[in-house]
Amino acid sequence: MHSRFRMKCVMLATVLAVAASTVLAGSANAEPAPGVKKKGFRLFARAIGAMTVNRVLCGVAADGRLCVDSLNSSTIGGGYWPKGTADQYIFQSGLQVAAIIGPDGGPWAGDTTGGFFVNTTGSNEHGQLVEPVYNAQSAADRATWPAAACVPNGDAGELLFDPLLRTDVSNLADPNCRKSASQGDLWLMSWEGDPSLSGGRSHPLGVAVETRALGWNFPAGNEDIIYFIFTFFNITSLNSADYAAIRPSLAAILQQKASDFHAAVGSKGTVLPQGGYTMTNMYAAVTSDMDVAEASSNYASVNLPFAMGYTYDHAFSQPPAWTFDPHIFSAPFFQGAGFVGVKYLKSPTGAGAIQLFSNTANAPLPPGSIGDAGDVTQLYRYLSGQLSPGDGSCNIPGVPAVTHVCYVGVNAPFDARFFQSSTALTLPPGASGSIVVAYIHAAPVATASCGAGCDVNPGNPLLLTNAVQLGANGGTANVIDSLTGFKGYSDVNSDGIVQQDEFSVVAGSLLGKAGVAQSVFDNKFLLPFAPESPEFFLVPGDHQVTVLWKPSTSETAGDPFFAVAQQPTVLDAGGNVVANTLYDPNYRQFDIEGYRVYRGRVDAPNELQLLAQFDYSGTTITDYAGQVFPTDECAPELSIRVSCPVPFDSVGPGLARFTNIAY
């Protein structure tokens, strides 16, 4: 009932614990953080890792495959929610790219080519490791963190992050290097530039991809979301000047790959222009084979205003081995296999948008459908929306490049896969462009026409793009839209264009969480900060040590997230005043309440021993939402006050206040 992340009465300890461990116990063995899988004796980052920051488990491979099995099995899925259960939502997903080489391409001028970083056919994959997976939750990885993997600072990539996330004042060795922008980033690099991987193409394109994954356990809804930032680099030029706009640590890696690219292509007898070539109309797609509950029982559709494709089990079944946490699947939701969606938050040329969404299917193909792309030429036609008659049939009326949807299976559930491509990008030699997506998991919303055991097909996704129809009589849409959280629509700015901020949605639903993801991205990933570590000193003695420290800089600078959390409303991209989904009336700018000193012999939080605690006296907090004592029967914001330890005074609809809680 309550979101507990906001209560930031933090007892600052982490650096003290680590420092005390070093002096008191000698050298400690670094171990992976809890929940991170080990394989053998790991000293450095590897080619397979996993996001385990919040309630989502998603295996990540350095060759560009996402939510694949973190032990690299080819038959086991890689995306589970909630983490720790057998509830599989994703079998595999990943990137596909295709472009036309410009007239400056020498012997390749005018060629259509690209690469499958993942291929749902199981063949003709072209992704390879450039830099292995680094996990910010791993002490071993943090100790060997490369400069290129720091949160971008000094090139175009930095614009995706709040300035406060680009530096780390506690990092005395290099304050310009923040290893993680979230509670635990993953970072890796891949490319498709090896000409020996020729299946489905005559030659590679020459693209390297930097991938950063981010995750948090807060705010409410964000614990079920993983974010991926993909930055594509044209590495066809041997001229160092073409990489001058990229931060030096990363530019060095890209220039090395450019040399590798020319050498490998040259060994095949092709000499490319030294200055590289332009990639015109490059499309990038996130392709997904979700397999929710049972592979053959799925449907997949798209919500274009939210720029989000999603997959679900047609009957919202309850597989015997699945677990339905009542904290997730209680009213207004019901216990049944939920949704997994992929939402575009940013396209290469601006706001999140889909060039083309379509189901593909494993053989035998449903009537009137399209299969997985067999080669990169067909892939380009798919991603650009310019399909030919031989590619199959689109069952959504209209021109695909205009409607942005080709085929959505509705007649019977099947092994539904989908791709959704970004808008086009042109990359000169050495240039880059980024897309940002969110993988979102949510329970189904109970409706009058559907609860556990119902059977729902996707209907027509274009209904959600019709402002007139949605606005009539409070709005109407497909049944599946209500299950994803659709409650109604109003054309707020009267422009006749359906926009995601104009939807009324159920909090905690797929659409509700999509709104949270959009807010997090729009705020440049700035979420609540942990307090900065204090400057401290250790004075050794005879069988003792004295610990001295100065106040944390957070005591005077405060938490930067306060600037976001204190605003009840914000302006959307169109300048409209909308509710701020990150608003928290309880959030405080200055929240240091004391210090703790721990002792430990290994780098594992569960092994730390609390030695001393120092708490400021005479401090209070004003609780505006009943979050300090969260019990099932104390929710003043819902007018439930049965077991509240003290009276709550009403100060307005949906809001309560209790003052002067001492701690």
Side-chain angles (χ1 to χ4, degrees):
M1 183 176 291
H2 296 269
S3 174
R4 303 189 183 192
F5 88 94
R6 298 183 176 97
M7 299 317 302
K8 293 187 71 237
C9 307
V10 179
M11 308 301 285
L12 186 60
T14 303
V15 172
L16 288 176
V18 173
S21 173
T22 302
V23 175
L24 296 175
S27 299
N29 294 322
E31 292 287 336
V36 178
K37 295 181 180 180
K38 294 190 295 182
K39 185 179 181 181
F41 184 63
R42 181 183 181 192
L43 285 177
F44 305 104
R46 57 183 175 179
I48 298 287
M51 281 294 288
T52 60
V53 172
N54 51 26
R55 292 196 298 213
V56 181
L57 171 63
C58 172
V60 177
D63 59 11
R65 294 173 295 130
L66 306 174
C67 292
V68 294
D69 178 57
S70 57
L71 295 179
N72 209 26
S73 168
S74 61
T75 59
I76 299 174
Y80 293 82
W81 175 73
K83 178 182 63 183
T85 69
D87 305 0
Q88 177 184 301
Y89 280 79
I90 306 176
F91 178 73
Q92 66 172 341
S93 66
L95 294 172
Q96 298 176 344
V97 296
I100 298 175
I101 295 177
D104 54 352
W108 290 353
D111 286 2
T112 298
T113 189
F116 295 93
F117 289 88
V118 69
N119 193 336
T120 48
T121 66
S123 62
N124 295 340
E125 290 183 333
H126 309 115
Q128 289 183 319
L129 176 152
V130 173
E131 290 289 323
V133 179
Y134 285 87
N135 187 341
Q137 289 190 298
S138 164
D141 286 2
R142 291 196 305 271
T144 58
W145 201 264
C150 299
V151 176
N153 188 13
D155 60 18
E158 72 175 21
L159 300 179
L160 296 174
F161 300 92
D162 188 274
L164 294 165
L165 295 175
R166 305 173 197 164
T167 58
D168 183 359
V169 297
S170 67
N171 183 355
L172 300 180
D174 185 2
N176 289 319
C177 177
R178 180 180 288 276
K179 297 179 175 66
S180 184
S182 71
Q183 286 184 281
D185 289 11
L186 291 187
W187 183 87
L188 56 120
M189 287 194 69
S190 52
W191 79 329
E192 51 70 61
D194 186 346
S196 66
L197 299 177
S198 57
R201 62 181 186 175
S202 58
H203 58 76
L205 179 59
V207 166
V209 185
E210 177 193 22
T211 299
R212 181 177 296 273
L214 306 94
W216 290 266
N217 270 304
F218 52 82
N222 212 28
E223 64 268 53
D224 303 318
I225 303 173
I226 296 176
Y227 301 82
F228 288 101
I229 300 173
F230 307 110
T231 303
F232 304 90
F233 296 91
N234 180 336
I235 50 89
T236 62
S237 174
L238 294 174
N239 299 330
S240 59
D242 289 331
Y243 304 92
I246 300 169
R247 56 193 190 276
S249 56
L250 181 57
I253 296 174
L254 298 175
Q255 290 179 66
Q256 180 59 57
K257 296 313 295 180
S259 296
D260 295 344
F261 181 65
H262 278 259
V265 171
S267 69
K268 301 291 185 180
T270 301
V271 178
L272 297 174
Q274 178 170 321
Y277 48 76
T278 302
M279 300 172 187
T280 64
N281 291 326
M282 190 186 92
Y283 294 93
V286 176
T287 296
S288 304
D289 185 1
M290 295 305 196
D291 292 357
V292 177
E294 199 62 50
S296 61
S297 67
N298 289 176
Y299 283 120
S301 190
V302 63
N303 184 312
L304 288 173
F306 279 76
M308 177 172 61
Y310 58 89
T311 301
Y312 63 97
D313 178 85
H314 75 106
F316 302 97
S317 62
Q318 298 179 341
W322 278 42
T323 302
F324 295 96
D325 186 338
H327 291 92
I328 300 174
F329 291 89
S330 58
F333 308 100
F334 66 88
Q335 294 190 355
F339 294 95
V340 57
V342 180
K343 173 177 171 56
Y344 270 92
L345 298 166
K346 180 187 182 301
S347 289
T349 53
I354 294 174
Q355 174 66 19
L356 189 75
F357 172 94
S358 184
N359 291 173
T360 60
N362 195 6
L365 299 178
S369 64
I370 65 173
D372 297 303
D375 55 51
V376 294
T377 303
Q378 187 178 42
L379 176 66
Y380 183 86
R381 295 197 300 269
Y382 279 16
L383 304 191
S384 64
Q386 303 173 40
L387 284 76
S388 68
D391 292 327
S393 302
C394 296
N395 66 345
I396 301 299
V399 178
V402 176
T403 64
H404 305 295
V405 186
C406 172
Y407 175 80
V408 174
V410 296
N411 295 323
F414 62 109
D415 186 1
R417 303 162 177 176
F418 71 80
F419 68 85
Q420 47 190 10
S421 58
S422 69
T423 52
L425 175 69
T426 293
L427 285 183
S432 65
S434 298
I435 62 176
V436 184
V437 301
Y439 282 45
I440 305 172
H441 302 73
V445 177
T447 68
S449 59
C450 184
C454 61
D455 191 347
V456 184
N457 71 32
N460 181 2
L462 295 187
L463 290 180
L464 292 175
T465 65
N466 189 321
V468 174
Q469 181 168 339
L470 285 176
N473 300 320
T476 57
N478 303 291
V479 172
I480 194 60
D481 297 317
S482 297
L483 288 158
T484 65
F486 174 85
K487 290 173 60 179
Y489 168 80
S490 177
D491 190 2
V492 176
N493 57 11
S494 302
D495 64 356
I497 301 173
V498 180
Q499 297 158 322
Q500 62 180 336
D501 291 333
E502 297 174 330
F503 282 72
S504 174
V505 302
V506 176
S509 65
L510 181 66
L511 299 186
K513 291 176 182 178
V516 171
Q518 191 67 58
S519 294
V520 170
F521 174 75
D522 290 346
N523 283 296
K524 298 183 181 295
F525 299 112
L526 179 62
L527 286 174
F529 273 59
E532 296 292 346
S533 300
E535 185 179 358
F536 64 95
F537 311 90
L538 301 175
V539 181
D542 186 10
H543 292 90
Q544 67 180 11
V545 62
T546 301
V547 183
L548 307 171
W549 66 89
K550 296 180 178 180
S552 164
T553 57
S554 294
E555 292 204 35
T556 55
D559 189 330
F561 185 71
F562 176 74
V564 177
Q566 69 173 332
Q567 303 294 336
T569 60
V570 293
L571 298 179
D572 64 12
N576 304 302
V577 177
V578 298
N580 177 13
T581 59
L582 301 180
Y583 171 59
D584 184 354
N586 274 3
Y587 208 89
R588 297 191 300 161
Q589 184 175 12
F590 300 97
D591 56 4
I592 303 298
E593 286 304 319
Y595 297 85
R596 286 174 175 166
V597 179
Y598 291 87
R599 173 181 177 174
R601 296 183 179 277
V602 296
D603 184 17
N606 61 331
E607 295 293 330
L608 295 177
Q609 175 188 357
L610 178 64
L611 299 179
Q613 174 174 300
F614 303 90
D615 185 18
Y616 285 127
S617 62
T619 53
T620 62
I621 182 175
T622 301
D623 182 10
Y624 288 94
Q627 295 172 329
V628 173
F629 300 103
T631 67
D632 289 344
E633 295 186 340
C634 180
E637 71 278 20
L638 300 177
S639 299
I640 300 174
R641 300 179 173 86
V642 175
S643 63
C644 293
V646 290
F648 279 81
D649 298 324
S650 176
V651 295
L655 187 65
R657 181 175 67 188
F658 173 69
T659 59
N660 297 331
I661 299 173
Y663 53 94

